[in-house]
Amino acid sequence: MKVISTKDAVGCILCHDITQIIKGQTKGPVFRKGHIVTEEDIPVLLRVGKENLYVWEPKEGMLHEDEGAEILRQFCQGGSRKEAAFEGEKKCFRYMSASRASEGKIELTAEMDGLFKVDKKALYEVNSQGEMMIATRHGNTEVRKGDKLAGMRVIPLVISREKMDKAGDAIRQENGGKPILSLLPFVPKRVAVITTGSEVYKGRIKDTFTPVLEEKLGHYPVTIISRTVCDDDPQMVTDAIRGALEMGADLVLCTGGMSVDPDDRTPLAIRNSGAKIVAYGAPVLPGAMFLLSYMEGGQAVMGLPGCVMYAKRTIFDLVLPRVLADDPVTKEELATLGEGGLCLNCPVCTYPNCGFGK
């Protein structure tokens, strides 16, 4: 940085905050570090006693913090400044909007409901470089339009282009240069609900499971195309699954019959339908007896244990957003849910703003 007369500072970038103190009224920054001085700013600066200023002296190979923040945004969203035109104060690109760079910081916001994805390894590569940072909410979580997704900034006032290039090289080596963040929109789905259990089929008790699913599904762009009640007969359940798929169901939810009791045959029925089982059982409580499978055509078939009916949050809440965003879930990913997979059943549920499933 260099010292310059305030009257000659138009177009220069401040290297420090400028504070104004008015006794009994205010004390705070009039201009922040990184502010570009305008003609209108000169009288204000003089009034607060700044005859001279420390300003950034541009040097080849060095970037201002706002320029560095824009590069971090590109790491996160992909694209370039030209591809992501500003609309007012925000830059919209790939279902996420970015604020204008301010004091070396940019924030990303969801522009639609969907599933937020984070490339954890690429994120680590950037944050391990030093002098730059990207902080995000957890990946594989449901977000709604207007939710804050991430914030990023260059930590010093200036950073070398070489360092930013090194971070970009690390991302390309890790994932081929794909964006670190993505937002997958929810896809409209046709859903079939198959309730199993002789107690419901024979009218001994009322079906209280389906209303719970209807309430949960009501938050997404889905249409329930059929509701079927079956006895504890694996062939009947298998036929119901196949019938639902023939009707055009994209997602089949089988409720009940998921334990190890001799009368619980839902896992067998799902297997016999031709579905490929991803996993029967998951390291999540509530929800250990959950089953996830996919048909050859990509339709998901789930076996939901009884806890989904009575517990506020279960593994169903963790997997459903991914299925509705057409984001296939693997056995390995389900296995990673053990850490954070214990719901604490808090008196006041704050999910997803808690550690469950994280």
Side-chain angles (χ1 to χ4, degrees):
M1 59 185 177
K2 64 179 180 180
V3 178
I4 190 173
S5 170
T6 297
K7 294 180 180 179
D8 300 326
V10 174
C12 294
I13 299 171
L14 293 177
C15 287
H16 55 98
D17 293 349
I18 303 295
T19 301
Q20 181 180 44
I21 302 175
I22 301 177
K23 186 177 180 181
Q25 296 184 33
T26 184
K27 176 184 178 181
V30 183
F31 301 107
R32 294 283 189 180
K33 171 176 69 81
H35 175 74
I36 300 175
V37 180
T38 67
E39 189 71 47
E40 293 75 19
D41 297 335
I42 302 301
V44 179
L45 290 164
L46 293 174
R47 280 200 301 271
V48 297
K50 296 300 178 182
E51 296 283 344
N52 300 287
L53 300 170
Y54 281 109
V55 297
W56 179 44
E57 187 174 12
K59 291 184 178 180
E60 186 176 352
M62 300 299 291
L63 300 173
H64 181 258
E65 58 182 356
D66 287 352
E67 295 177 290
E70 168 59 23
I71 294 173
L72 292 176
R73 182 205 66 77
Q74 291 177 31
F75 290 165
C76 288
Q77 287 183 284
S80 65
R81 185 180 294 272
K82 291 182 179 179
E83 292 174 305
F86 273 108
E87 298 178 6
E89 287 300 308
K90 291 185 175 182
K91 184 184 300 182
C92 299
F93 193 62
R94 292 185 178 172
Y95 309 121
M96 295 178 279
S97 62
S99 63
R100 287 187 181 274
S102 175
E103 300 175 36
K105 182 173 71 174
I106 292 176
E107 293 183 339
L108 298 183
T109 304
E111 284 299 309
M112 66 184 308
D113 299 348
L115 180 75
F116 182 57
K117 303 282 292 182
V118 179
D119 186 328
K120 294 183 179 181
K121 292 182 178 179
L123 180 64
Y124 170 80
E125 291 295 339
V126 173
N127 286 331
S128 65
Q129 300 297 321
E131 296 189 348
M132 64 186 79
M133 57 77 64
I134 301 172
T136 77
R137 64 168 58 209
H138 282 283
N140 285 337
T141 53
E142 171 188 341
V143 298
R144 297 291 171 174
K145 182 177 180 180
D147 284 350
K148 185 183 294 186
L149 303 177
M152 62 214 69
R153 71 173 303 156
V154 165
I155 295 171
L157 177 64
V158 295
I159 190 168
S160 70
R161 183 179 295 277
E162 181 182 2
K163 187 139 197 171
M164 299 304 301
D165 290 343
K166 182 179 177 182
D169 291 340
I171 296 173
R172 282 187 287 275
Q173 185 173 356
E174 177 59 45
N175 69 2
K178 297 177 182 177
I180 296 174
L181 310 179
S182 58
L183 180 56
L184 306 181
F186 293 130
V187 180
K189 300 283 186 186
R190 292 161 294 183
V191 180
V193 178
I194 299 174
T195 304
T196 66
S198 60
E199 68 277 22
V200 179
Y201 181 73
K202 295 178 180 178
R204 297 185 181 119
I205 64 171
K206 183 180 179 181
D207 174 21
T208 55
F209 210 139
T210 301
V212 172
L213 297 183
E214 291 174 337
E215 193 277 329
K216 286 185 180 290
L217 294 170
H219 298 285
Y220 303 95
V222 305
T223 302
I224 299 178
I225 62 172
S226 68
R227 299 170 179 81
T228 307
V229 180
C230 294
D231 200 354
D232 288 312
D233 176 354
Q235 188 59 52
M236 181 183 291
V237 178
T238 295
D239 291 342
I241 294 172
R242 290 173 175 168
L245 294 169
E246 290 174 0
M247 290 176 60
D250 304 301
L251 170 61
V252 179
L253 302 176
C254 301
T255 71
M258 292 302 299
S259 76
V260 294
D261 188 286
D263 292 330
D264 288 341
R265 308 288 182 81
T266 302
L268 174 62
I270 294 175
R271 189 181 301 276
N272 289 343
S273 72
K276 181 179 179 181
I277 306 297
V278 174
Y280 175 31
V284 176
L285 291 173
M289 304 303 291
F290 171 77
L291 185 151
L292 175 64
S293 65
Y294 290 98
M295 303 301 295
E296 187 175 344
Q299 305 95 324
V301 181
M302 296 187 200
L304 305 181
C307 62
V308 176
M309 176 174 60
Y310 62 80
K312 182 70 174 177
R313 297 297 176 185
T314 69
I315 189 170
F316 183 55
D317 299 280
L318 305 181
V319 175
L320 180 62
R322 295 194 59 181
V323 171
L324 295 182
D326 283 344
D327 185 38
V329 181
T330 67
K331 181 178 180 179
E332 292 73 22
E333 288 175 317
L334 288 174
T336 65
L337 293 176
E339 182 180 3
L342 177 64
C343 177
L344 300 181
N345 194 28
C346 302
V348 178
C349 180
T350 59
Y351 180 85
N353 300 319
C354 67
F356 181 55
K358 309 298 194 301

